[in-house]
Amino acid sequence: MKVGVVGLGYVGLPLAVAFAEEGHDVVGLDADPRKIDALGEGRSYIEDVPSEQLAVLDARLTPTSRFADLSSCDAVIICVPTPLTNSREPDLSYMIDAATSLSAVMQKGQLVVLESTTYPGTTRERLLPILEESGLAAGRDFHLAFSPERIDPGRTDFTIRTTPKVVGGLTDECTRRAVELYGQICDEVVEVSTPDAAELSKLLENIFRSVNIALVNELAMLCERLGIDVWEVVDAASSKPFGFMRFDPGPGMGGHCLPVDPFYLSYKAREHDFYTEFIELAGKINQNQPQWCVRRIERALNEAGKATNGSKVLLLGVSYKAGVGDIRESPALKIIHLLRGLGGDVAYHDPHVEELFDFGLNSVDLEESLATADLVCIVTAHPSLDYREVVERSSLVLDFRGVTRDIEAANLVRL
Ligand SMILES: NC(=O)c1ccc[n+]([C@@H]2O[C@H](COP(=O)([O-])OP(=O)(O)OC[C@H]3O[C@@H](n4cnc5c(N)ncnc54)[C@H](O)[C@@H]3O)[C@@H](O)[C@H]2O)c1
């Protein structure tokens, strides 16, 4: 097969590599020339795809910025961003731009699959009409499907091959073609009857996480009032072998998915005079979590006889999750912003994030900064750090991730 992948980011690049590794020719297209240049030189910019993995593809992955190169593909998969606008509504502009460019070069018989997370109805109502500007009819001249991406950056126990892939086509033949495509790289493909069902299944997965994280974050706030260790409670509940799934409290949600996707569904629901109150509430609690963390920081400093104003606060980990360098929607960014507003002198150390351009900050040397900080906050617990040593070398540590659960120390406070 010849497969085109539009958008070579966290989702698109591993996908393109997976098809190439199976021996298919892949045209990888991105609007960002720096990414195309990097790939042309055999350099990966995604942690989950080491450059060595690119080197063994034997030129089966062709990076390009020209949509015309997609016209010879059997299938084209779209993996562009679907963020929110400033007013927190779905921003489909990347998908619209990609689809508009694709429609100009589409050929009869091609399969187009959208993988970007979005609200139910996007494939049929928004993508289809743009692709049909090509003069080709969906379901007759070309095939169209939606298949949500389930990638979890940094995860190694499940791969693209071992993670079942959900697929919903516009027609039975569209579904069949999409199942055939993903069957090349996935052991199990799960068919649903429509693209809409596939779109909504992805939102359900992410909203499930968002709601459960909100629940446990709220519990953490209550535990603070009750003087109960929330980690002990979560550990104990997790010993139940059925009917309970563990979620951990933390400084808030980040990444491209969890803070964003629920709003896609709320938006669609409003169009139907329906208000997704449960989802909104979870979003509200999670969005407010960094504020609560800053109050905990203020209190910890206060108990040490210090004001936030003028105190040196060192954040450990600023990416949104452990083991990756992605800072999108990271709660650490909100915490830095809020602390600065209170006059805090904020620095950070993160082995995965060299620079926070918007704040004019660079990752500082760990040893030196631990010794001089008034407070060290574990915001994202990268596995490469030794947290026992962090506690030993710091005057005061506040742990938002529960990684110091086995450490007892007078200078240690946990969420
Ligand atoms: N990152 C994740 O963990 C994850 C997981 C599941 C689903 N998703 C979803 O997958 C989609 C992509 O996410 P991502 O994390 O890979 O984003 P990303 O920002 O890492 O990558 C998207 C890429 O698309 C490119 N692009 C933007 N507009 C383009 C255009 N018109 N033509 C060609 N290329 C274009 C960008 O330059 C970028 O390289 C989103 O809808 C996201 O919600 C992401």
Side-chain angles (χ1 to χ4, degrees):
M1 275 191 187
K2 189 163 181 185
V3 182
V5 177
V6 179
L8 298 173
Y10 286 93
V11 167
L13 185 60
L15 188 70
V17 169
F19 278 106
E21 281 180 335
E22 283 307 310
H24 301 287
D25 284 328
V26 180
V27 177
L29 186 147
D30 203 285
D32 182 345
R34 289 167 306 178
K35 289 188 176 163
I36 296 306
D37 289 349
L39 293 174
E41 293 160 12
R43 270 188 297 114
S44 171
Y45 42 84
I46 299 281
E47 280 134 328
D48 287 350
V49 180
S51 297
E52 302 78 63
Q53 203 175 350
L54 296 179
V56 293
L57 295 179
D58 278 344
R60 281 192 300 277
L61 169 58
T62 310
T64 183
S65 48
R66 291 169 8 115
F67 272 81
D69 295 342
L70 298 171
S71 59
S72 56
C73 291
D74 301 296
V76 177
I77 306 173
I78 302 174
C79 313
V80 295
T82 43
L84 294 172
T85 62
N86 287 340
S87 50
R88 302 200 81 71
E89 296 207 331
D91 175 3
L92 294 181
S93 60
Y94 298 94
M95 185 203 79
I96 291 168
D97 285 352
T100 306
S101 305
L102 178 60
S103 73
V105 299
M106 267 174 71
Q107 301 297 317
K108 225 172 172 174
Q110 282 184 321
L111 165 70
V112 178
V113 185
L114 178 63
E115 287 213 8
S116 304
T117 307
T118 184
Y119 58 77
T122 308
T123 307
R124 271 185 312 103
E125 296 162 9
R126 305 298 304 274
L127 180 59
L128 183 152
I130 300 173
L131 296 179
E132 287 194 336
E133 282 169 16
S134 61
L136 303 172
R140 189 190 69 198
D141 301 326
F142 70 94
H143 303 287
L144 182 61
F146 183 85
S147 178
E149 180 49 58
R150 284 173 159 168
I151 204 161
D152 184 10
R155 177 157 224 135
T156 50
D157 52 350
F158 284 95
T159 61
I160 289 182
R161 175 153 291 287
T162 59
T163 308
K165 191 95 171 94
V166 173
V167 161
L170 192 68
T171 64
D172 289 349
E173 182 57 13
C174 293
T175 304
R176 194 193 65 72
R177 285 281 305 272
V179 170
E180 185 187 35
L181 172 71
Y182 288 109
Q184 308 293 318
I185 55 163
C186 301
D187 289 340
E188 190 186 343
V189 182
V190 180
E191 284 179 45
V192 293
S193 61
T194 58
D196 309 52
E199 287 160 337
L200 187 52
S201 74
K202 171 69 186 181
L203 293 182
L204 171 62
E205 290 167 18
N206 282 353
I207 291 165
F208 170 81
R209 288 183 54 72
S210 164
V211 165
N212 280 287
I213 292 169
L215 174 67
V216 80
N217 278 339
E218 194 179 62
L219 191 78
M221 292 187 204
L222 176 63
C223 280
E224 187 198 6
R225 300 263 173 107
L226 297 176
I228 297 174
D229 181 346
V230 67
W231 302 102
E232 191 183 4
V233 174
V234 173
D235 283 348
S238 304
S239 66
K240 187 177 179 187
F242 50 88
F244 184 81
M245 186 179 280
R246 183 185 183 114
F247 285 87
D248 289 308
M253 291 183 323
H256 186 324
C257 299
L258 295 196
V260 172
D261 299 349
F263 290 101
Y264 267 71
L265 189 55
S266 305
Y267 165 85
K268 187 65 183 174
R270 280 201 301 279
E271 261 184 32
H272 292 261
D273 265 346
F274 188 95
Y275 294 89
T276 52
E277 294 179 38
F278 213 69
I279 296 172
E280 301 263 358
L281 177 63
K284 196 171 124 195
I285 291 177
N286 289 327
Q287 296 288 333
N288 283 338
Q289 198 68 0
Q291 263 103 325
W292 183 65
C293 288
V294 169
R295 283 202 296 281
R296 293 292 306 257
I297 291 172
E298 285 185 280
R299 226 182 67 194
L301 284 168
N302 187 50
E303 279 164 15
K306 292 176 182 170
T308 309
N309 195 344
S311 283
K312 282 191 161 88
V313 182
L314 173 69
L315 303 192
L316 293 187
V318 292
S319 61
Y320 84 91
K321 71 186 265 194
V324 301
D326 191 346
I327 57 164
R328 289 178 294 183
E329 306 276 336
S330 174
L333 308 182
K334 259 196 192 173
I335 292 176
I336 296 176
H337 175 73
L338 292 167
L339 281 177
R340 279 191 166 175
L342 294 167
D345 178 2
V346 188
Y348 82 92
H349 171 82
D350 190 315
H352 298 270
V353 183
E354 252 175 54
E355 183 185 16
L356 287 181
F357 184 78
D358 288 350
F359 292 102
L361 291 174
N362 283 82
S363 178
V364 294
D365 176 70
L366 184 61
E367 242 175 78
E368 201 181 303
S369 44
L370 284 180
T372 53
D374 295 297
L375 175 66
V376 176
C377 286
I378 303 169
V379 179
T380 299
H382 292 305
S384 51
L385 296 198
D386 180 339
Y387 293 100
R388 192 169 287 280
E389 216 175 288
V390 165
V391 175
E392 278 166 11
R393 290 173 181 232
S394 311
S395 57
L396 183 58
V397 175
L398 176 50
D399 173 11
F400 290 131
R401 292 290 184 178
V403 283
T404 59
R405 296 213 288 287
D406 57 345
I407 305 173
E408 279 302 322
N411 64 335
L412 174 63
V413 190
R414 266 187 298 272
L415 177 136

